[in-house]
């Protein structure tokens, strides 16, 4: 998974078919809830599942699933990052018409494989409250805190480590939930990722020792390559453990890659090259011994467990215990003990 960033896609509002479909959609969305409950929102899916819009989305996503980045199988489809109906939270709560009004927003369209689509479904958990009903996409992005990582906006390398055996290790709650929902550690995907990373190690070692190194190295990380995000993650972890002329590379992975290319273009010293090659060989050994997440979510109903307030956190005692109040999300349990004897 890589950050795809901005893209000058087609303006769907210029299409008269989209304008009419959007008019009908908003006519439905502005009806009272009880009236909407008796009907099903109609989305003209042919407008973004085929033709120029579909081609533009595939170009933006480099023709592969934005989440798992496995080699294209020809079964990838255009889907919505924020679902267009029945948005589901981690606790199972469903918001029936969220986010139908984003159906025709180009920035809400992604390419997804069948396996990731099956896991994602209409899951879209957020921290706290959802944005207001029928809010614009810009307003939603300003007010809402999604838990699922956004391939267009998030610095995804801050939330995952990819290991040399193909495992995707989450680094925080958002990474953990994304891995869980999309099943990014499914067996076949781990196998394909491991093969790609093994090939990457060979290509990187060969490129470091060749002339025209910057050109060779740049080609290893092209965004249209399979598992480009995993390759960048591996490179970041390699560079984290090595110095060049006594100095380490830091900053965002994109900046590190550019600096690394510059160093290789000028030519690495023998000592720097030896340290880099040794680090490449050392990383799989470290990964073999590394503890892995168990797949259990450290989050419940949008609140990380680590941030949850213990029911005992407010207990303060400076004498005999006479009253206990335990508060939790379903109610309040009260217990009163007899007063101690004098």
């Amino acid at each position: 998974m890589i950050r795809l960033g901005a893209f000058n896609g087609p303006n769907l509002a210029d299409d008269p078919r989209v304008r009419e479909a959007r008019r009908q959609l908003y006519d439905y969305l502005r009806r009272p809830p009880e009236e909407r409950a008796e009907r099903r929102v109609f989305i003209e899916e042919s407008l973004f599942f085929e033709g120029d819009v579909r081609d533009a989305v595939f170009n933006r996503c480099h023709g592969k699933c934005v989440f798992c980045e496995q080699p294209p199988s020809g079964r990838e489809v255009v889907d919505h990052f924020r679902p267009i109906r029945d948005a589901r939270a981690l606790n199972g709560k469903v918001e029936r018409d969220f986010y139908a009004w984003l159906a025709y927003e180009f920035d809400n369209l992604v390419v997804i494989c069948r396996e990731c689509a099956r896991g994602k479904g209409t899951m879209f958990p957020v921290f706290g409250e959802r944005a207001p009903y029928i809010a614009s996409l810009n307003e939603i992005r300003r007010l809402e805190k999604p838990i699922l990582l956004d391939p267009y906006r998030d610095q995804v390398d801050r939330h995952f480590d990819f290991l040399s055996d193909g495992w995707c290790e989450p680094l925080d709650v958002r990474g953990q939930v994304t891995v869980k929902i999309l099943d990014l550690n499914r067996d076949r995907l781990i196998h394909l990722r491991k093969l790609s990373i093994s090939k990457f190690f060979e290509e990187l070692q060969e490129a470091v020792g060749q002339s025209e190194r910057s050109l060779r190295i740049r080609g290893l990380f092209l965004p249209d390559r399979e598992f480009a995000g995993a390759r960048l993650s591996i490179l970041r972890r390699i560079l984290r453990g090595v110095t060049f002329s006594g100095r380490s590379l830091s900053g965002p992975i994109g900046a590190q890659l550019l600096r690394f290319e510059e160093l290789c273009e000028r030519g690495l010293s023998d000592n720097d090259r030896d340290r880099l090659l040794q680090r490449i060989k050392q990383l799989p050994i470290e990964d073999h011994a590394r503890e892995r997440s168990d797949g259990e979510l450290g989050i419940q109903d949008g609140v990380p467990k680590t941030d949850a307030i213990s029911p005992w956190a407010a207990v303060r005692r400076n004498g005999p215990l006479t009253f206990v109040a335990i508060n939790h999300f379903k109610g309040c349990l009260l217990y009163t003990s007899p007063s101690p004897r004098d």
Side-chain angles (χ1 to χ4, degrees):
M1 190 174 180
I2 58 175
R3 186 186 184 190
L4 296 170
F7 183 86
N8 293 323
N11 186 353
L12 300 185
D14 292 340
D15 189 325
R17 299 175 303 162
V18 173
R19 288 200 297 269
E20 175 59 22
R22 186 173 284 167
R23 185 194 65 78
Q24 295 181 24
L25 173 60
Y26 274 79
D27 178 67
Y28 163 84
L29 293 172
R30 291 190 176 107
R31 295 174 181 269
E34 59 274 10
E35 191 173 335
R36 296 200 312 270
E38 298 175 356
R39 304 173 56 184
R40 189 69 172 173
V41 59
F42 174 73
I43 305 294
E44 184 54 76
E45 296 181 346
S46 64
L47 294 175
F48 40 76
F49 284 175
E50 58 188 38
D52 294 342
V53 174
R54 178 189 181 279
D55 293 343
V57 176
F58 267 75
N59 286 337
R60 182 180 193 179
C61 301
H62 304 289
K64 59 184 177 179
C65 176
V66 296
F67 296 111
C68 73
E69 291 196 288
Q70 66 177 310
S73 65
R75 299 190 301 148
E76 290 76 20
V77 297
V78 173
D79 196 6
H80 294 83
F81 175 63
R82 283 177 168 83
I84 55 176
R85 56 175 65 92
D86 298 334
R88 187 178 299 274
L90 291 177
N91 61 7
K93 181 181 179 181
V94 174
E95 299 285 356
R96 175 183 168 87
D97 290 323
F98 274 69
Y99 299 80
W101 60 95
L102 301 181
Y104 306 109
E105 292 283 348
F106 183 76
D107 275 356
N108 195 41
L109 299 176
V110 297
V111 173
I112 191 170
C113 68
R114 298 296 175 89
E115 293 87 351
C116 286
R118 188 181 306 119
K120 180 176 178 292
T122 63
M123 288 291 296
F124 198 79
V126 298
F127 292 110
E129 299 295 325
R130 296 194 187 277
Y133 183 66
I134 321 186
S136 68
L137 181 56
N138 287 337
E139 187 178 7
I140 290 174
R141 286 173 167 173
R142 181 173 60 86
L143 298 175
E144 202 171 71
K145 298 179 180 179
I147 300 177
L148 192 70
L149 293 175
D150 186 342
Y152 291 153
R153 296 174 59 81
D154 284 316
Q155 295 285 358
V156 295
D157 58 288
R158 298 176 180 176
H159 306 280
F160 298 136
D161 265 351
F162 287 95
L163 308 190
S164 53
D165 60 2
W167 183 264
C168 179
E169 179 66 16
L171 301 178
D172 60 11
V173 166
R174 295 189 68 198
Q176 192 177 25
V177 172
T178 300
V179 169
K180 184 73 172 181
I181 289 176
L182 299 167
D183 195 14
L184 294 182
N185 281 323
R186 51 188 184 267
D187 290 343
R188 179 176 178 275
L189 188 56
I190 289 177
H191 175 69
L192 292 175
R193 218 186 269 134
K194 179 180 179 180
L195 294 177
S196 180
I197 291 173
S198 296
K199 182 179 179 181
F200 165 66
F201 277 128
E202 296 174 1
E203 294 171 337
L204 182 58
Q205 291 180 78
E206 181 182 357
V208 168
Q210 296 288 329
S211 59
E212 301 290 335
R213 285 179 291 271
S214 66
L215 298 179
R216 293 289 303 278
I217 288 173
R218 189 173 299 120
L220 301 182
F221 303 98
L222 294 175
D224 58 352
R225 297 200 66 155
E226 63 188 49
F227 304 119
R231 287 172 169 241
L232 286 170
S233 174
I234 292 289
L235 177 66
R236 176 171 55 85
R237 298 178 58 227
I238 289 172
L239 297 179
R240 188 189 299 158
V242 69
T243 60
F244 300 92
S245 299
R247 301 181 63 181
S248 60
L249 303 185
S250 59
I253 183 57
Q256 290 188 47
L257 176 57
L258 290 175
R259 181 61 179 148
F260 182 55
E261 290 174 355
E262 292 172 0
L263 290 172
C264 291
E265 186 174 7
R266 292 204 305 262
L268 298 174
S269 69
D270 290 342
N271 287 337
D272 286 347
R273 184 181 299 108
D274 289 345
R275 282 195 297 270
L276 180 58
L277 292 173
Q278 180 60 35
R279 176 60 181 159
I280 294 172
K281 295 177 181 178
Q282 180 186 16
L283 192 64
I285 299 174
E286 291 181 5
D287 288 348
H288 182 73
R290 180 168 171 170
E291 291 187 8
R292 315 296 171 91
S293 61
D294 58 10
E296 293 299 320
L297 292 182
I299 184 169
Q300 191 66 35
D301 301 345
V303 180
K305 288 181 179 178
T306 53
D307 294 337
I309 299 176
S310 166
W312 303 106
V315 173
R316 298 289 185 271
R317 290 191 61 186
N318 56 9
L321 182 65
T322 60
F323 180 85
V324 175
I326 303 175
N327 294 294
H328 53 86
F329 71 97
K330 289 185 178 179
C332 179
L333 173 67
L334 300 179
Y335 167 77
T336 302
S337 72
S339 298
R341 295 180 180 178
D342 296 330

